[in-house]
Amino acid sequence: MSENIIITREGRVVTLTIARVEKKNALTQEMYGAMADALEAYAESDADRALIITGAGDMFTAGNDLKDFAKGDRETGVPPVWRFLHAIRDCPKPVIAAVNGPGIGIGLTMLLHCDLVYAGESATLGVPFVKLGLVPEAGSSLLLPAAVGMAVANDMLLAGRILSAGEAERFGLVARVFPDAELMGAVGEIARGVAESAPVAMKLSKGLIRQGREAVADSMAAESKLFAAQLQGPEFAESVAAMGEKRAPDYG
């Protein structure tokens, strides 16, 4: 378990907090592994019936820690990031997101796999993959257009548009926006209501809602191959170098 992933329980509600405030809650492979472990344990637990994902401080997550990804260190078998994505995609029980601040990259794309998504008024959402020399991941090339429409999705994925919390609510990425100070209290109350519901009916209902999403797995597989290739390619290397040198990237 990573020290940057904090798991707490209150009754039947589990809260997973991304807690790496000094790095804007940027995610490392170790953190992905800890989140995958937590989601898999939640899925198998008879006692836990709702899970909240949120961030510490005033940031949901800045997305991938680029230095960690640039190292190219990968454990044998399935990398932790893909374990996490599969765990959140396949979880049979409700997963709730409390977006307490900016959510960048996977900070947005993971929301496409959550069942209930709520945001604080200071939250923003963006997917700057192309600007980093990367491609969409987590099935976002399929799920984001389905959620917000092709025009807005292209504006985000290709032109780098960042949505405010109000825009995200209007486009259907989040269900409700709360004042920042009230977010966790409101989401906790919702989660308790979910956890108190009939568990079999809840699982069956989630399964029915997600019928017809077989294409998501195919999309994720296709994206992962291209994402992995780009990670090892010159465009991502130039993006990381430019960020470190505080200059604009030169892609030639």
Side-chain angles (χ1 to χ4, degrees):
M1 184 64 69
S2 168
E3 64 180 9
N4 299 125
I5 300 298
I6 299 172
I7 308 298
T8 57
R9 284 178 174 79
E10 181 181 343
R12 294 185 180 274
V13 178
V14 180
T15 299
L16 184 163
T17 303
I18 304 167
R20 196 181 177 214
V21 176
E22 72 282 3
K23 295 293 184 179
K24 299 183 178 180
N25 293 339
L27 294 161
T28 63
Q29 291 295 323
E30 179 186 48
M31 293 166 70
Y32 280 123
M35 291 195 294
D37 290 343
L39 280 160
E40 290 166 359
Y42 165 62
E44 295 173 2
S45 169
D46 292 329
D48 301 331
R49 294 183 181 173
L51 181 142
I52 301 169
I53 299 177
T54 193
D58 58 3
M59 189 92 183
F60 185 56
T61 173
N64 293 326
D65 181 313
L66 296 183
K67 289 185 178 179
D68 179 74
F69 269 65
K71 291 176 185 175
D73 294 333
R74 300 289 183 270
E75 65 177 27
T76 57
V78 180
V81 61
W82 306 129
R83 276 190 61 221
F84 166 70
L85 290 175
H86 293 169
I88 195 170
R89 181 196 67 193
D90 298 334
C91 186
K93 296 193 286 187
V95 178
I96 305 166
V99 186
N100 59 302
I104 306 300
I106 201 163
L108 184 158
T109 61
M110 75 168 74
L111 305 180
L112 301 170
H113 298 280
C114 293
D115 304 291
L116 297 163
V117 181
Y118 306 98
E121 57 193 357
S122 68
T124 57
L125 295 171
V127 276
F129 298 123
V130 171
K131 293 182 180 296
L132 295 172
L134 299 172
V135 298
E137 39 82 280
S140 57
S141 61
L142 175 69
L143 293 173
L144 190 59
V148 303
M150 188 64 73
V152 175
N154 283 347
D155 204 14
M156 299 176 71
L157 290 168
L158 304 181
R161 178 178 178 179
I162 296 175
L163 299 185
S164 67
E167 289 174 323
E169 181 182 25
R170 189 166 76 248
F171 292 132
L173 277 177
V174 306
R176 282 183 263 174
V177 175
F178 297 98
D180 290 336
E182 300 174 14
L183 175 65
M184 293 311 298
V187 173
E189 183 176 352
I190 293 167
R192 286 188 290 275
V194 168
E196 291 166 1
S197 299
V200 174
M202 184 66 73
K203 287 184 180 180
L204 292 173
S205 296
K206 174 169 178 170
L208 288 168
I209 291 166
R210 295 195 168 221
Q211 282 187 115
R213 294 186 67 175
E214 293 82 2
V216 174
D218 293 337
S219 176
M220 290 176 68
E223 289 171 351
S224 68
K225 291 180 181 178
L226 295 174
F227 195 96
Q230 285 296 109
L231 276 177
Q232 303 301 318
E235 291 182 340
F236 179 66
E238 169 60 14
S239 298
V240 173
M243 291 182 66
E245 297 167 10
K246 295 181 171 55
R247 59 173 174 81
D250 180 4
Y251 298 117

